[in-house]
Amino acid sequence: MLRPIVISGPSGTGKSTLLKMLFAEFPDSFGFSVSSTTRKPRPGEVDGKDYNFTTVEEFKKMIDQNKFIEWAQFSGSYYGTTVASVKNVLDSGKLCLLDIDMQGVKSVKKTDLNARFLFIAPPSLDILKDRLSGRGTESTESMNKRLEAAVAEMEYAETGAHDSIIVNDNLDKAYAELKKFIFEQ
Ligand code: ADP
Ligand code: 5GP
């Protein structure tokens, strides 16, 4: 079976951008594990595709019903991977890709998913800050929480927890490296 790939890295480092490039080039090869979240959709985000957007009440109910493989609180919202979201992809026979934070990485490592772990790093924290503010989606408070989390994510990556680290400096170069990692299996 194709091993799932967990992509993580600081918010604003370019994970969604790289994944969108991959899905555009290979529309039939991959399945994205659609996470549930209580944060509000950003302009352009599609419910059921980018995330399953839900309420805190519903999310907590799902926790009680053991629907999640893993869940975490990030920047004031809940995020979680359901058993169903991963199962849907695995049943389709496609390679399963997950985009989750450091807490999720630690949780998935304890499961029997047998995933490979890829970390997408920004060239620097200053550049990360520019990207986050350039995206124009975050309040100052949310930006600060994300930058704080970014420091912890980077420190975790330095412990060697991931199978590979790609620095997303030049987008085309990072994308080429992403494809190399994914097709290596
Ligand atoms: P993430 O999914 O990791 O939170 P995004 O994919 O939303 O990050 O990227 C954050 C912002 O940075 C977006 O505005 C995106 O267009 C931009 N971006 C992504 N990769 C690069 C890159 N290599 N160089 C410059 N800007 C980038
Ligand atoms: P964003 O709000 O920018 O889409 O995502 C914020 C953070 O939450 C990112 O680090 C992203 O990888 C992470 N994330 C998204 N879905 C999940 C999930 O299901 N579980 C966990 N643990 N983190 C997630």
Side-chain angles (χ1 to χ4, degrees):
M1 199 185 72
L2 294 167
R3 294 174 69 191
I5 293 177
V6 172
I7 296 181
S8 65
S11 174
T13 200
K15 300 180 297 294
S16 318
T17 304
L18 287 162
L19 284 173
K20 287 211 164 74
M21 290 167 80
L22 191 72
F23 297 140
E25 186 174 350
F26 305 98
D28 302 319
S29 307
F30 303 106
F32 183 58
S33 163
V34 180
S35 294
S36 299
T37 185
T38 61
R39 85 149 162 75
K40 297 278 162 286
R42 294 179 188 137
E45 282 185 331
V46 178
D47 190 26
K49 188 165 174 259
D50 296 289
Y51 281 107
N52 293 312
F53 294 100
T54 186
T55 60
V56 172
E57 195 190 1
E58 178 60 25
F59 197 100
K60 286 186 174 165
K61 208 195 280 174
M62 289 167 73
I63 295 174
D64 290 341
Q65 293 168 337
N66 285 321
K67 295 234 166 137
F68 292 109
I69 292 175
E70 64 77 30
W71 64 269
Q73 274 185 290
F74 182 93
S75 186
S77 299
Y78 287 93
Y79 295 82
T81 307
T82 59
V83 176
S85 60
V86 170
K87 190 175 180 302
N88 279 346
V89 180
L90 294 181
D91 286 352
S92 74
K94 293 179 182 175
L95 196 157
C96 181
L97 295 168
L98 297 94
D99 172 350
I100 59 177
D101 86 325
M102 178 179 103
Q103 304 167 80
V105 168
K106 289 179 181 173
S107 300
V108 169
K109 276 178 178 276
K110 293 182 193 145
T111 70
D112 58 4
L113 264 183
N114 190 25
R116 296 199 293 145
F117 296 88
L118 176 64
F119 187 81
I120 311 289
S124 69
L125 278 174
D126 278 345
I127 291 176
L128 181 70
K129 201 171 172 183
D130 289 347
R131 283 188 191 165
L132 263 180
S133 61
R135 193 170 69 188
T137 54
E138 308 307 319
S139 64
T140 308
E141 191 196 352
S142 169
M143 279 254 300
N144 288 338
K145 284 188 185 161
R146 281 159 195 270
L147 290 169
E148 217 174 277
V151 174
E153 292 267 357
M154 303 284 279
E155 282 171 2
Y156 181 52
E158 279 169 22
T159 67
H162 306 83
D163 295 300
S164 186
I165 297 177
I166 292 175
V167 179
N168 180 18
D169 188 349
N170 175 286
L171 185 60
D172 290 332
K173 185 166 169 281
Y175 181 56
E177 289 173 13
L178 171 73
K179 284 196 281 186
K180 186 167 179 291
F181 177 81
I182 284 177
F183 291 115
E184 250 164 23
Q185 274 293 328

